[in-house]
Every structure is written in structure tokens, then in C-alpha cells.
Amino acid sequence: MKIRGKEAALVASGIVLGASIAAPAAGAALMAQQSSQEIVVDGRPVQIEAYSIGGSNYCKLRDVGRAMNFSVEYDPLTNTVRIDSGAPYEVSPSAMTATHTVTLPADGSQYVPQIGDRILCDDGTEYEIKDVARWNSSPLPTPTCD
């Protein structure tokens, strides 16, 4: 039986979810460090924030959904995560409160970056603004998604 990409992502997500339920018991002895491993989806490197805990990589399910293009929704009323592998990834209002994804102005108006803003590029890669120290310096580089 061959497992397709989205099915593999769902299996991996289930393993991560199961581990996260069991982790609090052993959590005091575990330390998280930002993972240095490159993550590649269908032969293309993707930008996913991952952490290494006890030798395993952990990342946000929403980021995996974005990279694999499947729907991930959270229902706070029932405390339920809903995954639909047949539906495309879309930024939901609940995700917008967790990460402030901005769209660069196409009308020539000026974008004022804020720390924590996330810029979603045409290729699906999302970049987070972490430093605005050079914001008012001249000349500023032209913002690109590369």
C-alpha cells in the first residue's frame, strides 16, 4: 500500500498530536531547540518553523497544512482540530489572530512593517518580520519574496 503525500502528512500529524498528549508527563526532562533541518515537500524546500524535542521534529499543524495545501481548522467551542485533505489550505479568521499575515500593497502605497507580521509570498512561503531596525534607513531594499 503506497501512502500519498497528504496521507503521510496526516499520519505524521497524528503521531505529533499523540506525542503532544503524552509529552506533559515527561516534559520536565525535555528541552525544545529550534530545528536546523531543512524541510522539503515534493522536492521543494518549504519554510516551516520546527523544533527538535528529544530528537524528533515538531511543527505547527497549520504550517504543514499550508505547505501540503490541505485545510486545517480549529473549533474553539468543541476544542477540535478539523483536517480536510481534499480542501485547499486557506487562512481562517482564527489563524489571523494567531499570526498576522499581511499582503504587500499592490497600489504603490507604503507598507509599514511591524515585528510579528507575516508576509505570504506567491510561491506559498511565509516570512515573519523579526527586525524593523533598518526600517527608516535609506535606501531601503525593495521587498521581494526570495
Side-chain angles (χ1 to χ4, degrees):
M1 178 177 178
K2 187 175 180 180
I3 297 178
R4 297 179 315 171
K6 287 186 180 180
E7 293 169 338
L10 291 174
V11 169
S13 299
I15 292 169
V16 169
L17 182 60
S20 68
I21 292 170
L30 299 176
M31 294 295 293
Q33 296 178 334
Q34 194 159 16
S35 177
S36 61
Q37 293 180 329
E38 180 180 34
I39 299 175
V40 179
V41 175
D42 296 331
R44 191 183 96 216
V46 293
Q47 198 74 14
I48 295 180
E49 187 175 353
Y51 292 91
S52 177
I53 303 172
S56 297
N57 284 325
Y58 295 86
C59 56
K60 296 176 187 174
L61 183 56
R62 187 170 303 286
D63 290 347
V64 175
R66 186 187 77 245
M68 300 292 299
N69 196 28
F70 63 80
S71 174
V72 178
E73 294 293 327
Y74 174 67
D75 182 350
L77 297 176
T78 61
N79 194 28
T80 304
V81 175
R82 299 187 193 290
I83 300 169
D84 185 348
S85 63
Y89 177 82
E90 293 180 4
V91 177
S92 67
S94 62
M96 288 298 288
T97 59
T99 62
H100 181 216
T101 303
V102 297
T103 303
L104 294 177
D107 63 359
S109 62
Q110 187 177 29
Y111 162 68
V112 179
Q114 302 293 318
I115 293 176
D117 282 357
R118 293 181 176 271
I119 307 296
L120 183 61
C121 296
D122 294 338
D123 67 356
T125 305
E126 189 175 69
Y127 296 93
E128 182 177 354
I129 303 293
K130 295 185 178 185
D131 181 12
V132 293
R134 292 182 44 198
W135 167 240
N136 283 328
S137 63
S138 288
L140 284 176
T142 301
T144 61
C145 294
D146 57 4

